[in-house]
Amino acid sequence: MESGPAIFAGTAFTLFGGALLLWTTVRVRQGEPVALGVAPRAAAAFAGLTGALFLGLGLWCFGRL
């Protein structure tokens, strides 16, 4: 009964975290801003940490199955 929501949450968190990390990496490598109006290094660091956090949270959800 409880595995359905855990699988959904784990999938959502993992996909979002991975996509955010991929998007941030592509933007930084191309020299494009990650967020408008924010220092480039601060925006890249915050987006990278947030992506890693969501990716880790998704993996934690899968580990709870």
Side-chain angles (χ1 to χ4, degrees):
M1 288 293 255
E2 298 173 0
S3 64
I7 291 171
F8 176 76
T11 302
F13 286 140
T14 303
L15 286 176
F16 177 73
L20 184 59
L21 285 174
L22 179 66
W23 180 81
T24 303
T25 302
V26 169
R27 296 292 285 186
V28 168
R29 289 180 66 111
Q30 291 179 349
E32 298 289 329
V34 175
L36 296 175
V38 182
R41 287 185 181 167
F46 182 72
L49 288 174
T50 304
L53 175 73
F54 275 99
L55 191 61
L57 187 58
L59 294 175
W60 178 78
C61 286
F62 285 132
R64 301 290 293 172
L65 294 176

